[in-house]
């Protein structure tokens, strides 16, 4: 194993971390604010990819502007789903929340099978990333770097939104004290719709930008949602930076785990998740609960 | 209640003689899921803990049976004690670590443990057969005969129901519900909430192992699917669909789920879509499960002081 090889493995890990981050960050945001564990989150990731595929017909030439449309469609879908379904279970026991989002997972799986077919969908490298780059003399798909850049840009935008806009301040506030916000006259139900839509939009964006590297079929959602849970639990439910940190950690563990023990590379991430839950149940960068309930 | 129970027992005992082969297969599947759902609800109802890791107990019992039969040529039925022991051990490990956490953190940790086992079973081709699983496990004798397997599953369901009934009425059952309803107060009067919850988890997991054993006897094979998180989701669906607050709710939910699946699948390939619709309707319109759709006369007569 030479140094350039290890470096490329590191970059591959970073690319899957980028995809994992976009998949998981919305889940974390939604859990932090609404307290909902969204089992359908992986389905919205897959749907984002399907939207892009349907718009481009699998042809990468119009990738960038169709990407915007796919994200817009995910945002709208997220808002509608929150208004129609999620809102009704916000104050219910968590097994109802889980069953409702699981029902959405099942419905989305079959509806997308009906609309798009059950076969794997993929798309070529988007404009600007057709040629590989040479890293220390080894060709490397330049889109891996593009994906990392896109995820970094999304993280930065999200940070600006949360920390530099008034509405972002409200989003952070609602994760801490919903009743106080209501008392201050903030339209919390609308805020929840926006947060859910943004979370789903991020998942759809993640699915769409991952499509050139990872072909998608309806069955992917089942695995994707579990990956998202792991990332979010390791990073800390509700913590954006924790999600980023744990996505990088898990992306790299999977990349290098596949080198060391290919048979058990997925088990490594579960071991990490269990270890974190045992020693820091609130996650690496999450807030420890003030009172154990 | 007693006459209803006796009536149900007579119907269930005579049922195989009125069913076609396919109907009998569906009935066995319903009974096996019923055993699993009743076992799951032992934990959920008495402790309020929503486990997403019961697939681990279910599947580890199934894999134990499959491995002993395929690798060591054990007699199929003779593997039952070890299958239950494996389920108990898995439940002990998961329960020991998980019951310290509460609410969604508990659910996530149990999910992580079960997925860990799934990952091993899914990838360890040399031992578990990976995603090819282990097949050709036809049990000899009684368990290999559909009618025999039906009665064995019915007996298992009766045993599980009896165990749950005894636990529910025992001081330990009351203690568990005390811990569920007010853990701080229970601790304050000297109850070790941790020990009781681990014990409930182990008992629930062991009985789930019985369902796993029967599942293998029914499908003659094991696949990593047995350990996958959707198996845990399925049992939760059965429990909530039937109604977790009623004693036989989970078993009724299992029957409804399995029969519904058989009917829908015979008409269309879109069973997940149909199940999703049913779940949506249930969560939004009849959250107490199908049991709540029946007339409530019986329960209104019951004295309320018991609660």
């Amino acid at each position: 194993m030479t140094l350039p090889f290890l470096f490329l493995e590191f970059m591959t890990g970073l690319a899957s971390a980028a995809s994992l981050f976009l998949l998981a960050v919305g889940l974390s945001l939604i859990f932090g604010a609404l307290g909902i564990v969204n089992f359908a989150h992986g389905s919205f990731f897959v749907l984002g990819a399907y939207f892009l595929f349907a718009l481009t017909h699998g042809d990468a030439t119009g990738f960038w502007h169709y990407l915007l449309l796919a994200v817009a469609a995910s945002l709208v879908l997220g808002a509608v789903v929150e208004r129609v379904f999620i809102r009704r279970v916000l104050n219910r026991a968590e097994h109802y929340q889980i069953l409702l989002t699981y029902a959405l997972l099942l419905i989305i799986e079959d509806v997308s099978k009906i609309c798009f077919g059950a076969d794997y969908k993929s798309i070529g490298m988007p404009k600007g990333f057709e040629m590989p780059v040479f890293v220390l003399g080894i060709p490397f798909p330049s889109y891996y770097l593009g994906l990392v850049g896109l995820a970094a840009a999304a993280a930065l935008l999200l940070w600006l939104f949360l920390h530099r806009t008034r509405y972002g301040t409200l989003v952070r506030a609602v994760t801490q004290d919903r009743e106080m916000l209501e008392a201050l006259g903030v339209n919390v139900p609308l805020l929840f719709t926006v947060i859910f839509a943004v979370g789903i939009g991020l998942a759809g964006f993640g699915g769409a930008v991952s499509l050139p590297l990872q072909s998608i079929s309806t069955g992917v959602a089942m695995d994707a949602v579990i990956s998202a849970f792991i990332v979010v639990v390791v990073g800390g439910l509700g913590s954006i930076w924790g999600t980023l940190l744990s996505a990088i950690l898990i992306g790299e563990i999977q990349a290098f785990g596949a080198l060391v023990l290919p048979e058990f590379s997925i088990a490594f991430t579960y071991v990490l998740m269990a270890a974190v839950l045992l020693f820091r149940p609130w996650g690496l960068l999450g807030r420890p609960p003030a009172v154990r309930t | 209640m007693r006459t209803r129970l006796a009536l149900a027992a007579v119907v269930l005992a005579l049922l195989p003689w009125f069913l076609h082969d396919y109907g009998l297969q569906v009935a066995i599947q319903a009974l096996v899921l019923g055993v699993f759902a009743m076992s799951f609800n032992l934990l959920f109802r008495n402790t309020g803990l929503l486990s997403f890791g019961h697939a681990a107990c279910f599947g580890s019992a199934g894999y134990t049976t499959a491995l002993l039969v395929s690798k060591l040529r054990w007699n199929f039925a003779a593997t039952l004690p070890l299958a239950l022991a494996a389920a108990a051990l898995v439940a002990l490990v998961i329960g020991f670590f998980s019951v310290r956490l509460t609410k969604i953190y508990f659910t996530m940790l149990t999910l992580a443990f079960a997925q860990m086992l799934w990952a091993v079973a899914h990838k360890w081709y040399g031992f578990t057969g990976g995603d090819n699983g282990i097949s050709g496990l036809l049990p000899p004798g009684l368990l290999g005969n559909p009618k025999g397997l039906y009665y064995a599953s019915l007996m298992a369901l009766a045993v599980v129901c009896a165990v749950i009934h005894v636990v529910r009425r025992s001081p330990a059952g009351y203690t568990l519900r005390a811990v569920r309803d007010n853990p701080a107060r229970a601790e304050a009067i000297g109850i070790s909430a941790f020990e009781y919850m681990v014990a409930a988890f182990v008992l629930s997991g062991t009985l789930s192992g019985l369902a796993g054993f029967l599942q293998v006897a029914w499908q003659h094979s094991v696949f990593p699917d047995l350990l996958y998180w959707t198996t845990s989701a399925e049992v939760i669906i059965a429990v909530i669909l039937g109604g977790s607050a009623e004693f036989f709710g989970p078993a009724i939910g299992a029957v409804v789920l399995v029969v519904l699946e058989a009917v829908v699948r015979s008409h269309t390939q879109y069973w997940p879509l149909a199940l999703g619709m049913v779940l949506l309707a249930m969560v939004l319109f009849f959250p107490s499960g199908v049991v709540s759709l029946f007339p409530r006369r019986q329960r209104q007569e019951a004295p309320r002081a018991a609660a």
Side-chain angles (χ1 to χ4, degrees):
Chain A
M1 272 181 241
T2 57
L3 195 65
F5 178 74
L6 288 178
F7 180 72
L8 288 186
E9 200 61 30
F10 174 78
M11 290 311 295
T12 312
L14 216 52
S16 53
S19 179
L20 278 175
F21 170 74
L22 292 171
L23 166 65
V25 68
L27 187 72
S28 184
L29 197 64
I30 290 167
F31 180 82
L34 282 73
I36 291 267
V37 175
N38 182 16
F39 271 80
H41 208 74
S43 313
F44 292 108
F45 178 85
V46 173
L47 267 186
Y50 271 123
F51 286 155
L52 182 72
F53 183 87
L55 288 163
T56 57
H57 302 286
D59 173 14
T61 42
F63 185 89
W64 297 109
H65 42 273
Y66 285 127
L67 176 63
L68 290 178
L69 275 180
V71 173
S74 299
L75 279 169
V76 172
L77 184 66
V80 170
V81 165
E82 200 280 337
R83 285 269 156 166
V84 177
F85 300 112
I86 302 297
R87 173 156 302 188
R88 293 160 185 260
V89 292
L90 278 182
N91 298 319
R92 303 262 302 270
E94 59 213 17
H95 56 270
Y96 291 120
Q97 303 172 344
I98 289 176
L99 282 188
L100 181 103
T101 54
Y102 188 69
L104 292 176
L105 177 156
L106 293 171
I107 292 171
I108 293 173
E109 179 180 330
D110 263 2
V111 169
S112 46
K113 211 176 271 176
I114 293 167
C115 295
F116 306 111
D119 52 327
Y120 276 85
K121 303 277 191 266
S122 60
I123 193 171
M125 293 298 168
K127 203 173 161 194
F129 292 93
E130 296 95 337
M131 302 299 284
V133 287
F134 285 85
V135 179
L136 302 169
I138 303 173
F140 186 72
S142 56
Y143 189 67
Y144 277 52
L145 305 176
L147 185 58
V148 173
L150 285 169
L156 191 66
L157 275 177
L158 190 62
W159 184 82
L160 285 173
F161 168 64
L162 289 175
H163 292 265
R164 289 289 178 270
T165 66
R166 183 178 147 70
Y167 213 72
T169 309
L170 293 180
V171 171
R172 285 185 296 134
V174 83
T175 64
Q176 302 201 354
D177 195 338
R178 174 188 170 172
E179 275 153 19
M180 179 54 88
L181 239 65
E182 279 172 338
L184 292 172
V186 174
N187 187 345
V188 171
L190 179 67
L191 191 60
F192 280 172
T193 307
V194 170
I195 292 170
F196 197 83
V198 168
I200 299 307
L202 281 164
F205 177 67
V209 296
S210 301
L211 191 59
L213 295 181
Q214 157 192 11
S215 53
I216 287 272
S217 88
T218 49
V220 172
M222 294 271 184
D223 290 329
V225 68
I226 295 297
S227 305
F229 282 154
I230 297 170
V231 172
V232 164
V233 165
V234 168
L237 284 163
S239 161
I240 306 295
W241 301 118
T243 306
L244 185 61
L245 175 69
S246 91
I248 294 172
L249 213 54
I250 289 169
E252 295 301 342
I253 284 179
Q254 283 175 347
F256 285 99
L259 290 181
V260 187
L261 259 180
E263 289 210 318
F264 297 109
S265 62
I266 36 174
F268 284 144
T269 42
Y270 295 118
V271 173
L272 176 71
M273 176 180 177
V276 166
L277 275 168
L278 286 176
F279 298 109
R280 279 183 74 88
W282 51 89
L284 294 177
L285 298 183
R287 266 193 314 271
V291 189
R292 264 183 71 103
T293 45
Chain B
M1 193 63 196
R2 283 196 178 195
T3 47
R4 280 196 191 189
L5 202 57
L7 197 67
V10 170
V11 169
L12 284 173
L14 294 177
L15 195 63
W17 308 95
F18 297 95
L19 288 173
H20 305 286
D21 284 349
Y22 179 65
L24 192 55
Q25 295 299 327
V26 172
I28 294 168
Q29 185 63 74
L31 286 176
V32 174
L33 186 59
V35 171
F36 193 12
M38 291 299 292
S39 313
F40 175 89
N41 203 40
L42 171 65
L43 181 73
F44 181 57
R45 176 143 185 240
N46 288 301
T47 66
L49 293 168
L50 183 68
S51 162
F52 232 98
H54 264 52
C57 306
F58 182 76
S60 57
Y63 265 98
T64 304
T65 294
L67 287 169
L68 287 173
V69 170
S70 69
K71 304 248 181 224
L72 301 179
R73 304 275 152 222
W74 276 38
N75 179 292
F76 197 99
T79 65
L80 179 61
L82 272 186
L84 294 182
L89 183 68
V90 167
L92 180 65
V93 172
I94 299 181
F96 180 80
F97 289 114
S98 305
V99 299
R100 300 152 193 265
L101 305 184
T102 53
K103 296 191 171 178
I104 201 68
Y105 296 95
F106 169 83
T107 304
M108 288 289 146
L109 187 54
T110 52
L111 175 68
F113 273 113
Q115 285 294 108
M116 227 184 292
L117 274 184
W118 169 79
V120 171
H122 183 70
K123 289 286 171 184
W124 197 358
Y125 285 89
F127 187 57
T128 62
D131 55 7
N132 300 321
I134 302 168
S135 47
L137 304 168
L138 186 69
L142 192 70
L143 290 175
N145 171 330
K147 278 202 180 75
L149 185 57
Y150 176 90
Y151 285 115
S153 307
L154 187 59
M155 210 168 73
L157 184 63
V159 168
V160 168
C161 288
V163 170
I164 294 171
H165 183 71
V166 169
V167 169
R168 210 164 66 110
R169 293 292 192 86
S170 71
Y174 281 94
T175 311
L176 277 173
R177 292 190 291 279
V179 169
R180 174 194 68 189
D181 294 338
N182 196 337
R185 193 162 169 182
E187 292 271 7
I189 58 170
I191 294 168
S192 167
F194 176 75
E195 282 168 22
Y196 274 93
M197 287 196 287
V198 171
F201 199 100
V202 171
L203 184 58
S204 166
T206 310
L207 295 175
S208 302
L210 183 56
F213 169 83
L214 292 168
Q215 178 75 24
V216 176
W218 179 73
Q219 68 182 35
H220 307 158
S221 56
V222 286
F223 295 102
D225 280 15
L226 289 185
L227 295 156
Y228 198 52
W229 69 270
T230 47
T231 302
S232 300
E234 193 183 10
V235 74
I236 295 174
I237 291 171
V239 168
I240 311 293
L241 189 63
S244 66
E246 292 293 325
F247 187 84
F248 289 108
I252 293 169
V255 172
V256 171
L257 189 62
V258 171
V259 171
L260 196 65
E261 177 170 0
V263 171
V264 172
R265 278 201 197 275
S266 66
H267 290 94
T268 160
Q269 53 169 319
Y270 298 114
W271 159 242
L273 179 62
L275 177 60
M277 296 291 189
V278 169
L279 286 179
L280 269 189
M282 184 198 73
V283 171
L284 299 177
F285 305 117
F286 57 103
S288 306
V290 281
V291 175
S292 67
L293 297 177
F294 297 120
R296 307 194 62 122
R297 186 171 54 89
Q298 182 85 19
R299 262 165 294 148
Q300 275 166 2
E301 286 169 4
R304 301 193 65 86

